[in-house]
Amino acid sequence: VSADGAPVRTAGPVLVVGTGLLGTSAGLALAARGVEVLLADPSPSAVALAADLGAGRPVGAGGAAGADPEPRLVVVAAPPDVTAAVVAAELARHPEAVVTDVASVKAGVLAGLRARGADLARYAGGHPMAGRERSGAIAARADLFVGRPWVLCPAPAAAGAPGSSAAAVAAVADLAADVGGMPVVMPAEEHDQAVALVSHLPQVAASLVAARLRAAPEAAVALAGQGLRDVTRVAASDPALWVQILGANAGRVAQVLAPLRDDLDALLEALRRLDGTGADGAPGAHAALARALGAGVEGRARIPGKHGSRAAEYSAVTVLVDDRPGELARLFADIAAAGVNLEELRLDHSPGRALALAEVSVLPAARTTLVEQLGAHGWAVHEG
Amino acid sequence: VSADGAPVRTAGPVLVVGTGLLGTSAGLALAARGVEVLLADPSPSAVALAADLGAGRPVGAGGAAGADPEPRLVVVAAPPDVTAAVVAAELARHPEAVVTDVASVKAGVLAGLRARGADLARYAGGHPMAGRERSGAIAARADLFVGRPWVLCPAPAAAGAPGSSAAAVAAVADLAADVGGMPVVMPAEEHDQAVALVSHLPQVAASLVAARLRAAPEAAVALAGQGLRDVTRVAASDPALWVQILGANAGRVAQVLAPLRDDLDALLEALRRLDGTGADGAPGAHAALARALGAGVEGRARIPGKHGSRAAEYSAVTVLVDDRPGELARLFADIAAAGVNLEELRLDHSPGRALALAEVSVLPAARTTLVEQLGAHGWAVHEG
């Protein structure tokens, strides 16, 4: 039984094939809930590490062939470009098991399985929307999937061949829920278009912006602020993995990038006209800038906040905090004592100074209480 | 005398012309340190609001013309596109005063002043690298400039006309330091190129990415994670202000965007080749993706962390925190009790679940202590 009282629904043994970040995290989460987990990976050292971390038991550890129990569920967490081949092999190897995968692009896996004549009734693809800038078993954690969408993409029946059975979809939904994720069912094509937009586009944009910093003067990067940091954070992600992801979703990412490129061209043209002639000689150029910036404001407002609500529904105040041990603790103790729940937090550093700005977001109804209570405790609170 | 013991060097009265975010914040910071501040703005309600907030006293408040004391320093915090005209007028109106401005693009202001035959010996331009997604006096705060670079761009002598005097530059450096900023001297052209890269480029990229969300299906934006949030955060900024900033730095922003557009085109071509033919028929396409992503990793690594050190010099651990009042307080109390200083903090929300992940960055030497102490206090700590 989990912390929130829901019983474990996944029936083991579960075989995890691929003990990288996602596979090991799934193993850790299942093992922590008492599910029997078997681990396999082409790399013996990778599987040994995952086992040492507590993610399960390596297959073949008993010595004799056939000593491992037959899995009821196989989770393929292989690199994206070999996922279809591995899923097909596992379907053939374990004829009673349901097989799923965690690849972040789904239509290609499905096409690869159809091309291999795989038994799709026992397959249901999945994509946990969880990841980190770091990779490998060492970065794994049992709570990686907690609260994250886990998209399920059942195979539709096609050309007389059956698609994913209801039982297979249910088994993968149970897995997702058991490790703390939020199952969301979506056709593969729709999923791949969605991640091209909300995941692959920001990755590409961050990399393109960060690439401009390579040759920048030291004095210029020294002026970098939080805006540049935020825009480029995901640019630190593993290029090898992202080559595979972008490659597997190439057409849909291109469809998202093409209109962005057109917007960029329009912006560039407006900037060049303003540069060449000044505002008076460039009619419409300022309007073009305003359109681009206004479109960004509109798009940004569509991103949901925590608990599915909009970010704009929170109310923020800023508190000045001395940058030394104990001060943040004192701040959060005072927030807690006010009975106010912290919805979002930004800690804004002050390079070269022993001060930080904590931007504390709360529900609007709690704002007045928060400001009063923090003020009463001597905090410098700034509204705005 | 300030909190860190440095005496106030700015000699008042200081006249702040323009009581928006920056002007009002400067007034608040100076007034808090006992400097006499006069406020002026074309909008009577804006100046009244700034005065009510404690940023200074409106000019002409005494009733009789000429009742205001003559300012020794004038800070022009007008919109970028009228800054040169306002600075020139203030130089003429106050023939003994040093005049500075806070416009975020500097070469155009300087050119505008030369065209007007202004007395540049009494002028030194400035740009506090501080801002918020919100604007206006209501968003102002006395600590806005604390720890931030405040770039000074002295006017060079040209064509027989003198440039900024040493006394003028010193007066603006004193102002910057008195309000908590870090004065940095840089030629206007170099400054404008730097901000095109570290400030204007991320703004444009964020707006372009966010604009793609406008027409997105609800189910797609529901999958948005922290990566998309971070990349698009500054897209919420005021379009009217940014139209002026980008317009004033149009040529340099175009010079930064043009190679990014070329990189984007190369990426698009590689993606389209992969989409049309698959990996086997697109030699070099994966290498093109890898180059773009690798360049991003390199560029990202150049961004300095807090206190001027590199972000990579910190060591991060992740702690699972119940999302209810008091839990963060307890965490930070335990961190403080361990004698460890928190260098950076990311609070990672778990939509739909009552859990948050706090990623706590500390100096590498403090990591082991932190992990041990938090573990001893029962926290679920994840390394990786």
Side-chain angles (χ1 to χ4, degrees):
Chain A
V1 174
S2 76
D4 63 3
V8 179
R9 301 174 63 111
T10 297
V14 174
L15 170 61
V16 173
V17 180
T19 53
L21 172 67
L22 295 178
T24 306
S25 293
L28 288 170
L30 290 170
R33 302 204 62 188
V35 176
E36 183 180 5
V37 180
L38 300 167
L39 303 170
D41 194 282
S43 158
S45 64
V47 81
L49 174 59
D52 283 353
L53 293 170
R57 176 166 53 87
V59 292
D68 292 311
E70 198 48 27
R72 298 174 68 170
L73 175 66
V74 180
V75 180
V76 173
D81 58 353
V82 298
T83 293
V86 176
V87 168
E90 296 298 326
L91 281 167
R93 190 172 295 143
H94 305 290
E96 304 297 321
V98 167
V99 180
T100 187
D101 72 300
V102 298
S104 50
V105 183
K106 305 298 345 159
V109 175
L110 200 51
L113 291 174
R114 288 199 199 281
R116 287 171 173 84
D119 178 9
L120 291 178
R122 290 188 290 115
Y123 168 77
H127 178 210
M129 304 290 295
R132 312 189 65 188
E133 290 132 69
R134 282 154 283 177
S135 57
I138 194 67
R141 52 195 205 198
D143 55 20
L144 187 71
F145 309 108
V146 172
R148 303 288 188 186
W150 187 310
V151 184
L152 310 185
C153 301
S164 302
S165 67
V169 176
V172 181
D174 285 346
L175 165 72
D178 284 343
V179 300
M182 300 160 62
V184 179
V185 176
M186 198 180 275
E189 179 62 33
E190 188 183 327
H191 164 273
D192 290 357
Q193 288 177 0
V195 293
L197 183 68
V198 304
S199 169
H200 307 171
L201 169 64
Q203 177 66 46
V204 167
S207 296
L208 290 172
V209 170
R212 294 295 102 219
L213 301 175
R214 279 185 305 165
E218 201 62 47
V221 292
L223 298 183
Q226 199 60 40
L228 183 66
R229 284 192 176 79
D230 284 353
V231 167
T232 59
R233 182 179 61 82
V234 294
S237 302
D238 177 21
L241 174 64
W242 274 96
V243 167
Q244 289 193 30
I245 294 173
L246 296 179
N249 209 22
R252 297 175 199 89
V253 175
Q255 279 172 25
V256 171
L257 285 176
L260 184 148
R261 200 267 310 270
D262 294 344
D263 288 353
L264 174 55
D265 277 338
L267 204 58
L268 257 174
E269 197 214 325
L271 290 168
R272 284 173 173 154
R273 286 172 58 214
L274 283 168
D275 183 44
T277 63
D280 296 340
H286 279 116
L289 300 188
R291 267 196 306 276
L293 293 158
V297 172
E298 282 178 39
R300 167 71 189 176
R302 291 206 60 205
I303 300 179
K306 200 171 68 153
H307 307 315
S309 63
R310 294 293 167 86
E313 291 177 11
Y314 299 129
S315 184
V317 301
T318 301
V319 187
L320 191 60
V321 183
D322 272 359
D323 187 16
R324 54 188 169 81
E327 283 301 283
L328 270 174
R330 195 164 67 82
L331 172 62
F332 289 107
D334 289 343
I335 292 173
V340 169
N341 194 23
L342 185 62
E343 299 292 337
E344 293 192 345
L345 172 70
R346 287 185 61 81
L347 196 64
D348 193 353
H349 301 292
S350 305
R353 277 266 173 158
L355 283 167
L357 305 177
E359 187 172 281
V360 174
S361 295
V362 300
L363 291 175
R367 182 195 179 95
T368 306
T369 303
L370 178 70
V371 171
E372 283 174 4
Q373 290 295 310
L374 291 183
H377 285 86
W379 291 100
V381 182
H382 299 268
E383 307 188 60
Chain B
V1 174
S2 77
D4 63 3
V8 178
R9 301 173 63 111
T10 297
V14 174
L15 170 61
V16 173
V17 180
T19 53
L21 172 67
L22 296 178
T24 305
S25 294
L28 288 170
L30 290 170
R33 302 205 61 190
V35 177
E36 182 179 6
V37 180
L38 301 167
L39 303 170
D41 194 283
S43 158
S45 64
V47 83
L49 174 59
D52 283 352
L53 293 170
R57 176 165 54 86
V59 292
D68 293 311
E70 197 51 24
R72 299 174 68 170
L73 176 65
V74 180
V75 180
V76 173
D81 58 353
V82 298
T83 294
V86 176
V87 168
E90 296 298 324
L91 282 167
R93 189 172 298 144
H94 304 290
E96 304 297 321
V98 167
V99 180
T100 188
D101 72 299
V102 299
S104 50
V105 183
K106 305 294 352 155
V109 175
L110 200 51
L113 291 174
R114 288 198 199 282
R116 288 172 174 82
D119 177 8
L120 292 179
R122 291 188 290 115
Y123 168 76
H127 177 208
M129 303 290 295
R132 311 189 66 187
E133 290 133 68
R134 283 155 282 177
S135 58
I138 194 69
R141 51 196 204 196
D143 54 19
L144 187 71
F145 309 108
V146 172
R148 302 288 188 185
W150 187 310
V151 184
L152 309 185
C153 300
S164 301
S165 66
V169 176
V172 181
D174 285 345
L175 164 72
D178 284 342
V179 300
M182 300 160 61
V184 179
V185 176
M186 197 180 274
E189 179 63 31
E190 187 183 327
H191 164 273
D192 290 357
Q193 288 177 2
V195 294
L197 184 66
V198 304
S199 169
H200 307 171
L201 168 63
Q203 177 65 46
V204 167
S207 296
L208 289 172
V209 171
R212 293 294 104 219
L213 302 174
R214 280 185 304 165
E218 200 62 48
V221 292
L223 298 183
Q226 199 59 40
L228 183 66
R229 285 192 176 80
D230 283 354
V231 167
T232 58
R233 182 179 61 83
V234 294
S237 302
D238 177 21
L241 174 63
W242 274 95
V243 167
Q244 289 194 30
I245 293 173
L246 296 178
N249 209 23
R252 298 175 199 89
V253 175
Q255 278 171 25
V256 171
L257 285 176
L260 184 148
R261 200 269 310 270
D262 294 343
D263 287 354
L264 175 55
D265 276 338
L267 204 58
L268 258 175
E269 196 215 323
L271 290 168
R272 283 173 174 155
R273 286 172 59 215
L274 283 168
D275 184 44
T277 63
D280 296 339
H286 279 114
L289 300 187
R291 267 195 306 277
L293 293 158
V297 173
E298 283 178 40
R300 167 71 189 176
R302 291 206 62 205
I303 300 180
K306 199 171 68 154
H307 305 316
S309 64
R310 295 292 167 84
E313 290 176 13
Y314 299 129
S315 184
V317 301
T318 302
V319 187
L320 191 60
V321 183
D322 271 0
D323 186 15
R324 54 190 170 80
E327 283 301 285
L328 271 174
R330 196 162 67 81
L331 172 63
F332 289 107
D334 289 344
I335 292 173
V340 169
N341 195 22
L342 186 63
E343 298 292 337
E344 294 194 344
L345 173 70
R346 290 185 59 82
L347 198 63
D348 193 353
H349 300 294
S350 305
R353 277 265 171 160
L355 284 167
L357 304 176
E359 187 173 280
V360 174
S361 294
V362 298
L363 291 174
R367 182 196 178 95
T368 306
T369 303
L370 178 70
V371 171
E372 284 174 5
Q373 290 295 311
L374 290 183
H377 284 86
W379 291 101
V381 181
H382 299 268
E383 307 187 59

